[in-house]
Amino acid sequence: MADPPGCCRPCATCLLCLYSCQWITAKKEKRRGLRTTKCDCSWFLFLFCVFLFTLVWLYFVIIVLNDFHNFNEFMFKKKKLWLDWSLVLLIATAMLITYSAVLLVLALCLQLCGQPLKLHWLHKALLILTALVVAAAFTGLGIKWAEEWRSARISLQATGPFLHIGIVGGMTLLAWPLASFIYHTRNTGLKVFLLLVYCAVMIALYLAPLGFTSPCIMEENQLPPKPALVGHRGAPMLAPENTLMSLHKAVDCDVQVFETDVMVSADGVPFLMHDEELTRTTNVQAVFPERAALNSTAFNWTDLQQLDAGSWFLERRPFPTVQSLSTDDRYQATKQRIPSLEQALEVTKQSNISIMFDLRPENHSDYQSFVNATLEVILQSGIPLPQVLWLPDGFREQVKQQAPDIQQVYGRKRLQDEKEPLLHVNLPYQDMTSEEIRQYRQDNISVNLYVVNQPWLFSVLWCSGVSSVTTNACQVLKEMKHPIWLLPSSTYLMIWIVVDCASFLAILWAFLLLKKCSQRRQPAESETDVLLTKINSLMQE
């Protein structure tokens, strides 16, 4: 088998060594018996599928990063160990995709060089292991974190046009090794099968935008106003969550609403805390080790004021932004204590922002007394009641009667037989489609979606017309003056047509060029074979 022009023998030898895990010299006489068999082709196809599989998994990993802080909190609750699991997942995924990508590049280079594809058994075993690991990861995602499938569907509204261009480009480049293989193999059935599959895939890709929709495909003058920002527990990337420092940082980020969680102490003082236990966000294990596992509501206000609610933020670094904090911010973080609802209301009143909160735990036997204590603090604080957004469903009618000016926010969609119209809804961003958001906007219903941290997701919701978003990354979203991308439908149509035409011409050129190269090599190879046969006959005589 002759080396194609431009493929030197040392290079071919190195490629064979890496792919086959054995040193095979590039001399013809030592390679004469090596050919790419049907089994080798099957393993190459498996390698290609594993690469695509890991690539899809990488996409999912990037998408779920928006919600990964929730997973970290979940793991801490289960294991009592804080770790940024997103970093572990990214490293593992990068290793898997790098391995399969390197093998695929080696195989394509070998094919272009006209070398046999003899994949070593160790690579085969590792590829099978890679496929099993990724399959297990997808299965676990579907079982334990099923809402992320809806996140992936939403992400396609932001990445669809670019994924289309990237996939078309990748499949266009694949035309070169495919054409090389077709012109080298003598199996007519295999040629026809590969060509039919490739053509079917390319036609499907060319027509894929017909089924693609995105709210960001619109004219500039149709873009809705930028959604308001709701600080999720304040600004938790810049300060310890649910502290006064976090609240002040959120105000600096121009949030319009401070979203928090309220509990009531054993002596009836409402305070800010998300977790049912104090172990994650305080030093309760050091101050009250024998009571650390108790519910947060089991502590009185005097005990709660003894706890450090900020040092954990510097020690565990729940977000990468902690590393960039100034010396002054680090010092302030160590001085944070658990704030009371009264203190938070005073800051929000002075800052002229609203406050929205959940009252936890909902299943507590004294929940009605919690509602009464919370409502009493609100009424005595002097804050304008329209600045208070009430989320708890329990005893909501009682709250309406005692404080009718408090804005009621519902954690559900409206019903067909709604007795009174909803004015505010607060839902996970996965629970509402772009069409529903537009309809609610037309009906003057304020829609707040949580938790939105990534610019791509914020852009999609912005284009959809959402009223506000709850975010951990107020410092990032504050700086966004425009969605990441916004295309008029005519511009998108032009890009689609240009990409498809360019791809078709590149594929056509690849097949025609490699056909000419193959025809030029055939006479030379025939003459060489005749000459070698004559020399062999003379030597035998």
Side-chain angles (χ1 to χ4, degrees):
M1 185 184 299
D3 292 335
C7 185
C8 62
R9 290 180 181 177
C11 291
T13 299
C14 290
L15 292 172
L16 283 168
C17 176
L18 293 171
Y19 191 78
S20 304
C21 292
Q22 53 183 325
W23 189 262
I24 305 175
T25 61
K27 294 181 180 180
K28 291 182 181 180
E29 58 270 22
K30 293 188 178 182
R31 280 204 325 268
R32 181 172 292 276
L34 291 177
R35 293 290 185 273
T36 300
T37 64
K38 292 182 179 180
C39 182
D40 296 328
C41 293
S42 299
W43 277 108
F44 172 77
L45 181 61
F46 180 70
L47 167 61
F48 184 69
C49 292
V50 169
F51 171 72
L52 293 181
F53 200 29
T54 53
L55 199 61
V56 172
W57 173 246
L58 176 63
Y59 178 82
F60 269 83
V61 169
I62 294 173
I63 296 307
V64 302
L65 286 180
N66 180 82
D67 307 318
F68 223 89
H69 186 71
N70 296 339
F71 181 78
N72 291 339
E73 290 184 1
F74 170 79
M75 292 301 295
F76 181 87
K77 185 177 180 181
K78 295 293 184 182
K79 305 295 183 182
K80 301 302 179 185
L81 172 67
W82 183 267
L83 182 65
D84 187 359
W85 292 97
S86 64
L87 186 61
V88 176
L89 186 63
L90 280 172
I91 292 174
T93 302
M95 291 175 61
L96 293 177
I97 197 166
T98 300
Y99 173 69
S100 57
V102 168
L103 276 185
L104 183 62
V105 170
L106 288 174
L108 295 177
C109 291
L110 283 171
Q111 179 58 41
L112 288 173
C113 288
Q115 304 302 317
L117 302 179
K118 297 294 180 181
L119 187 64
H120 193 265
W121 66 267
L122 181 61
H123 286 319
K124 295 176 181 178
L126 290 176
L127 282 176
I128 294 174
L129 181 62
T130 299
L132 292 176
V133 168
V134 176
F138 271 116
T139 303
L141 182 71
I143 295 175
K144 295 295 184 180
W145 215 358
E147 63 268 20
E148 291 306 315
W149 292 108
R150 287 177 286 169
S151 300
R153 286 197 293 270
I154 295 172
S155 73
L156 292 177
Q157 297 178 1
T159 61
F162 310 102
L163 284 178
H164 174 249
I165 294 173
I167 295 173
V168 168
M171 292 299 295
T172 301
L173 292 176
L174 193 62
W176 289 87
L178 177 64
S180 175
F181 177 80
I182 286 175
Y183 291 133
H184 278 87
T185 186
R186 299 177 181 177
N187 190 328
T188 304
L190 183 60
K191 288 182 182 181
V192 174
F193 174 75
L194 290 176
L195 279 175
L196 287 176
V197 170
Y198 185 74
C199 289
V201 170
M202 292 309 302
I203 291 173
L205 286 175
Y206 290 158
L207 300 178
L210 290 174
F212 171 74
T213 59
S214 172
C216 290
I217 298 179
M218 64 166 61
E219 300 295 333
E220 181 79 28
N221 56 12
Q222 296 176 334
L223 181 65
K226 181 179 178 179
L229 299 182
V230 177
H232 185 228
R233 308 174 198 170
M237 289 188 176
L238 305 176
E241 66 179 57
N242 282 334
T243 61
L244 294 182
M245 179 183 177
S246 186
L247 173 51
H248 285 296
K249 290 289 185 181
V251 172
D252 293 340
C253 287
D254 297 334
V255 303
Q256 294 188 15
V257 181
F258 169 54
E259 187 276 338
T260 187
D261 308 276
V262 175
M263 292 191 175
V264 179
S265 66
D267 52 349
V269 178
F271 63 96
L272 308 190
M273 180 60 57
H274 175 268
D275 296 3
E276 292 189 7
E277 296 180 6
L278 299 167
T279 51
R280 183 175 66 87
T281 57
T282 72
N283 64 338
V284 66
Q285 290 176 317
V287 180
F288 303 111
E290 71 284 353
R291 301 167 59 193
L294 295 179
N295 192 286
S296 302
T297 58
F299 294 79
N300 61 43
W301 181 239
T302 303
D303 293 340
L304 292 171
Q305 283 298 281
Q306 298 180 45
L307 300 178
D308 178 355
S311 295
W312 70 274
F313 182 70
L314 303 177
E315 295 167 0
R316 292 174 180 159
R317 297 182 179 182
F319 297 97
T321 48
V322 178
Q323 300 177 7
S324 60
L325 290 182
S326 66
T327 303
D328 183 57
D329 284 343
R330 290 175 180 273
Y331 175 76
Q332 286 189 40
T334 61
K335 299 300 180 181
Q336 295 304 302
R337 294 292 181 263
I338 297 175
S340 66
L341 176 61
E342 182 181 1
Q343 292 172 319
L345 289 170
E346 182 62 28
V347 175
T348 54
K349 181 174 65 173
Q350 293 176 357
S351 304
N352 195 29
I353 65 172
S354 299
I355 182 170
M356 177 171 65
F357 60 87
D358 269 320
L359 186 59
R360 301 172 181 270
E362 296 87 346
N363 57 353
H364 199 282
S365 57
D366 293 330
Y367 194 73
Q368 185 172 9
S369 65
F370 291 173
V371 172
N372 294 333
T374 302
L375 191 57
E376 181 181 357
V377 169
I378 292 173
L379 294 175
Q380 292 178 355
S381 68
I383 187 173
L385 295 184
Q387 287 181 225
V388 179
L389 308 179
W390 185 276
L391 274 173
D393 285 326
F395 304 97
R396 189 185 290 273
E397 293 303 320
Q398 172 189 328
V399 175
K400 287 181 180 179
Q401 292 176 5
Q402 295 185 28
D405 290 337
I406 289 179
Q407 297 192 58
Q408 299 295 322
V409 183
Y410 294 83
R412 60 171 176 81
K413 296 180 183 180
R414 61 181 173 182
L415 306 175
Q416 291 184 349
D417 55 346
E418 200 76 58
K419 295 182 180 179
E420 57 182 83
L422 300 184
L423 297 179
H424 306 276
V425 297
N426 180 61
L427 294 167
Y429 70 89
Q430 300 100 331
D431 287 0
M432 291 202 77
T433 65
S434 297
E435 293 74 18
E436 288 176 322
I437 294 173
R438 291 194 189 99
Q439 187 60 52
Y440 275 49
R441 183 179 180 82
Q442 291 176 5
D443 296 340
N444 294 320
I445 300 175
S446 175
V447 176
N448 180 69
L449 300 182
Y450 62 90
V451 173
V452 178
N453 301 318
Q454 297 294 328
W456 67 263
L457 179 56
F458 185 66
S459 297
V460 171
L461 298 178
W462 183 347
C463 296
S464 299
V466 73
S467 307
S468 60
V469 298
T470 300
T471 180
N472 293 324
C474 59
Q475 77 282 1
V476 175
L477 304 187
K478 170 191 174 183
E479 301 301 326
M480 291 184 63
K481 308 302 181 185
H482 199 270
I484 292 179
W485 65 270
L486 193 69
L487 288 176
S489 56
S490 57
T491 303
Y492 177 60
L493 179 62
M494 181 183 66
I495 294 174
W496 169 23
I497 294 174
V498 169
V499 168
D500 287 0
C501 291
S503 169
F504 177 77
L505 293 175
I507 292 172
L508 191 61
W509 179 55
F511 273 86
L512 292 176
L513 183 63
L514 289 177
K515 182 178 181 180
K516 287 185 178 180
C517 292
S518 176
Q519 290 174 345
R520 289 177 182 176
R521 283 198 301 267
Q522 283 178 358
E525 290 179 356
S526 299
E527 293 174 4
T528 302
D529 290 341
V530 172
L531 180 59
L532 287 174
T533 303
K534 290 181 178 180
I535 293 174
N536 187 42
S537 300
L538 290 173
M539 291 179 65
Q540 289 179 355
E541 292 177 358

